[in-house]
Each structure stands twice: as structure tokens, then as C-alpha cells.
Amino acid sequence: HAAWGFVRGVRHKPRANASPGLAKPSGMSDPAWHAGYALLQQYQLHFELQTPWWHLSEAAQLARTFPDTMMVLNHTGLPADRSVAGLRAWSQAMNHIAQCPNVVVKISGLGQAGVAWNVASNRSIVLTAIALFGVERCMFASNFPVDSLCGSFSTIFSGFDLITEDFSQSERLALFRENAIRLYRMEQSA
């Protein structure tokens, strides 16, 4: 895949536990999986991780073991449990992995089954992710067509726009465009 000029990384959902109460490690702890992960740096590829927040301590260990490989955490660490306790646990896990300078986060995939996407239920998640990782290590992304089950593309991105309306113009440009161009090594068009 690395031979193709447009390939930038490998996306994977390692084996994960269905809930945070289970102690079994995810696929990220498997030595054979680590051997494959080690090849990413050799081929100048980054890793796109989708895993629930309760496996982020393993992801942080992976990021520390391979500090020269960039990890992109997809879907904001999957904060599906919107209870006070659930969001507190998600925030603590996000804080832990945010300490790894080679990890960035895609703010995306915030849809909830059976709930229309809205600013009120997503504002604190978006702002917490940005506060933990900093503007330079965050980017907005879509999760389409999956998120079309809870909102239109316009609804979601106008929501991100509204949530960040008090940010500076350069911060908003970084979140909506420049970070993705830099992290995915895209050529800028005029």
C-alpha cells in the first residue's frame, strides 16, 4: 500500500472489550500485532485507531513504545456513554493519551443512536478534546455515511462551527483545514 502515493496510513479497529468493566486487553497488546505496527515507521505511514476509550491506556502505551509513529485517534475516543460518570471516565482516558505527543485526534463520530445530532449534547466533548490535545493536534472530520443516521453533513459541521465560534480565525482554520493538510501531507491547492 505504501507504494501508492496517496496512502498515508493504516486504519484498524483492534479487538476490543464490549464494556469498560472487562479486564481482557485489546488486540493492541498482542506481540504479533506489535510486529506489524513496527512496520509503519519504516514505510512512513501513520496509524488510524478506532477503539473505545477504555482501551486508550493501551493505545498510550503503544504510542510511547513507537514514539516516531503518528497515531490518529478516530471518533474522539468514542464517548458513547453520555452519563456524568461515563464522560468523566472518557475525559480521564483522553487526558492520559493526550500526554503522548505523537497522538492526534479526529473530532468526529459523535452521533448517538436514536438521537439527532445537536450542539448541546456535543459541545462539552468537542471542547474537552480540544483542551486536552490543543488546537494543533485536533481536526474535525466526518463519519459519513454512518453519521447521516443522526444528522446531515451540514448540521454536524455547522455545529462544529458554532461550538468553535469564539476561537481565533487561525485556530478555526487549523481545526477545519490546516491540521488535516499537514498531518495527511496533502498538497495545498490555491
Side-chain angles (χ1 to χ4, degrees):
H1 291 306
W4 294 96
F6 57 84
V7 174
R8 300 293 188 257
V10 173
R11 183 175 180 177
H12 188 243
K13 298 181 206 178
R15 182 187 69 245
N17 295 327
S19 68
L22 303 174
K24 185 176 180 182
S26 78
M28 287 182 281
S29 297
D30 183 297
W33 195 87
H34 272 224
Y37 193 93
L39 294 173
L40 293 171
Q41 181 185 0
Q42 176 183 336
Y43 291 99
Q44 299 178 337
L45 298 172
H46 69 256
F47 182 63
E48 299 261 342
L49 173 64
Q50 182 173 327
T51 196
W53 59 262
W54 50 88
H55 287 294
L56 291 183
S57 62
E58 286 177 84
Q61 181 57 48
L62 186 66
R64 286 190 296 273
T65 301
F66 299 96
D68 296 324
T69 300
M70 184 177 65
M71 181 185 293
V72 178
L73 177 61
N74 287 282
H75 304 326
T76 329
L78 299 171
D81 179 356
R82 301 296 177 92
S83 68
V84 171
L87 288 175
R88 185 181 320 110
W90 165 81
S91 178
Q92 290 169 347
M94 290 289 282
N95 182 53
H96 184 70
I97 197 165
Q99 303 310 307
C100 301
N102 57 325
V103 178
V104 300
V105 64
K106 279 187 191 173
I107 300 174
S108 64
L110 298 179
Q112 297 174 276
V115 177
W117 201 101
N118 64 80
V119 168
S121 64
N122 291 302
R123 179 185 299 275
S124 68
I125 293 168
V126 170
L127 295 177
T128 297
I130 295 170
L132 292 172
F133 284 83
V135 168
E136 293 304 312
R137 292 196 298 143
C138 292
M139 62 189 131
F140 290 117
S142 75
N143 186 32
F144 273 76
V146 177
D147 273 358
S148 66
L149 296 171
C150 63
S152 69
F153 185 87
S154 177
T155 297
I156 294 170
F157 270 81
S158 65
F160 290 154
D161 184 50
L162 186 61
I163 291 168
T164 59
E165 68 183 345
D166 292 333
F167 284 57
S168 72
Q169 181 178 357
S170 63
E171 289 171 327
R172 288 165 50 84
L173 191 59
L175 291 165
F176 282 95
R177 181 177 189 270
E178 298 300 322
N179 291 345
I181 289 172
R182 176 176 47 85
L183 295 166
Y184 287 94
R185 304 179 313 275
M186 293 186 276
E187 293 183 25
Q188 292 194 42
S189 59

